[in-house]
Amino acid sequence: MIGIIIELIISWILLKFIEKKNLSVLGFKVFASRLNNLGTGFLLAAVACSLYHVMTTSFIDNTWVINKEMTFQKILAGIWWVLKSVVFEELLFRGALLYITIQKLGDKKACILSAICFGFYHWFSYNAFGNPVQMGIIFLMTGIFGYVLAISFAKTQSLYLPMGLHLGWNFFNILVFSNGPLGKQFLMKANDHHLEGIISLIVFLFQIFALPALVYGYFRFFKVKVSND
C-alpha cells in the first residue's frame, strides 16, 4: 500500500512539472461509461482466462477440483494481494509515465514502449533470468498483454478499462485457477497430466491472443465512450 501512495505522489510531481497537469488526466473520476469499461474489461478477461484453463484439461485425462483447504481468510488475503499488485502495476505502466509518453511520442509508439517495459518487468517478477526460452515466452505473453492494456488506456483516456482487464485476468488466473505466486487457491488440477504436441501449441496461442481479440472486438463493434474531467 505504501508503494501505491508513493506512486501517486511521484505521478503528481511528474504530471505537474512536465505536463502542467494533475492526476485527473489519468481518468480517476467516476463516470457510468468508465464503470462500464471496468466491468466489461473484467468480464472479457475472466472469459478468456477461464476458457484457456478449461482447455488445458479438456483434451487429456485431467480435470479441475476444489481445494478443500481454502478458507475465507485465505480468499480475502488473495483478493487483497491481487488488487494491490494490479493497482501498483497499472499506476506504474499505464499511469503518468504512459500519459506523458503519449503526449511526446503519440499513442502507437508510447503503447509499444510501455508493452516492452511491461515485458522486461516480468523477467524480474518471474525470476526468469538465465533461461532464454522462458524469458522469450514471458516477454511475448506479458508484452502483448501490456500492449492491450496500454491501448485500452490510450483509447479511453482512463485507467478503468486496463484495470478491469488486468484484475479480471489476475483474479481468475491466480485465485481461481491457482496459476501464480500464491500457490494452490480455489481450483487445482487433479493430476500432473499436461497437454503435448499441436494441441498444446494451439492452447498456448489461445492464451496469448484470445483476450486481445476480445478487446479488439469490444472497440470495433461497440461504442466505447471516452469521458473527460
Side-chain angles (χ1 to χ4, degrees), residues 112-210:
I112 291 175
L113 181 59
S114 176
I116 291 173
C117 293
F118 196 61
F120 285 153
Y121 165 81
H122 281 87
W123 284 352
F124 295 91
S125 61
Y126 282 93
N127 193 25
F129 289 98
N131 188 331
V133 174
Q134 185 182 19
M135 290 173 69
I137 292 174
I138 289 173
F139 182 81
L140 177 65
M141 294 172 59
T142 59
I144 291 175
F145 186 45
Y147 183 75
V148 171
L149 298 177
I151 284 292
S152 297
F153 173 81
K155 285 186 175 293
T156 62
Q157 300 174 25
S158 169
L159 284 167
Y160 280 71
L161 180 56
M163 194 167 293
L165 291 165
H166 204 165
L167 274 172
W169 186 273
N170 281 18
F171 182 90
F172 278 81
N173 189 51
I174 296 173
L175 300 183
V176 177
F177 293 100
S178 305
N179 185 34
L182 299 185
K184 296 178 180 179
Q185 295 293 305
F186 184 68
L187 296 177
M188 306 180 301
K189 288 184 177 179
N191 54 60
D192 295 329
H193 296 172
H194 57 273
L195 295 173
E196 296 179 351
I198 188 65
I199 295 180
S200 176
L201 176 60
I202 292 173
V203 173
F204 172 72
L205 293 176
F206 180 90
Q207 177 190 13
I208 297 176
F209 295 109

Side-chain angles (χ1 to χ4, degrees), residues 52-64 189 195:
Y52 160 68
H53 283 292
V54 169
M55 290 171 68
T56 63
T57 60
S58 296
F59 304 103
I60 54 176
D61 182 22
N62 206 340
T63 188
W64 292 96
K189 288 184 177 179
L195 295 173

Side-chain angles (χ1 to χ4, degrees), residues 19-36:
E19 292 295 326
K20 310 301 180 184
K21 302 286 181 65
N22 56 47
L23 291 174
S24 66
V25 298
L26 302 183
F28 288 131
K29 191 172 182 179
V30 178
F31 293 109
S33 59
R34 290 176 176 173
L35 292 178
N36 180 66

Side-chain angles (χ1 to χ4, degrees), residues 39-140:
T40 301
F42 187 93
L43 179 61
L44 292 177
V47 169
C49 186
S50 297
L51 286 175
Y52 160 68
H53 283 292
V54 169
M55 290 171 68
T56 63
T57 60
S58 296
F59 304 103
I60 54 176
D61 182 22
N62 206 340
T63 188
W64 292 96
V65 296
I66 296 177
N67 179 10
K68 297 181 179 179
E69 296 181 359
M70 281 297 292
T71 63
F72 182 70
Q73 185 176 23
K74 189 174 181 179
I75 292 173
L76 290 180
I79 293 174
W80 179 238
W81 186 92
V82 167
L83 181 61
K84 286 192 301 181
S85 66
V86 166
V87 172
F88 180 86
E89 291 184 3
E90 287 307 309
L91 287 174
L92 180 60
F93 293 102
R94 265 72 61 181
L97 291 176
L98 179 56
Y99 176 85
I100 293 170
T101 307
I102 287 175
Q103 308 312 306
K104 304 300 183 184
L105 302 179
D107 288 2
K108 186 175 181 180
K109 291 181 179 179
C111 290
I112 291 175
L113 181 59
S114 176
I116 291 173
C117 293
F118 196 61
F120 285 153
Y121 165 81
H122 281 87
W123 284 352
F124 295 91
S125 61
Y126 282 93
N127 193 25
F129 289 98
N131 188 331
V133 174
Q134 185 182 19
M135 290 173 69
I137 292 174
I138 289 173
F139 182 81
L140 177 65

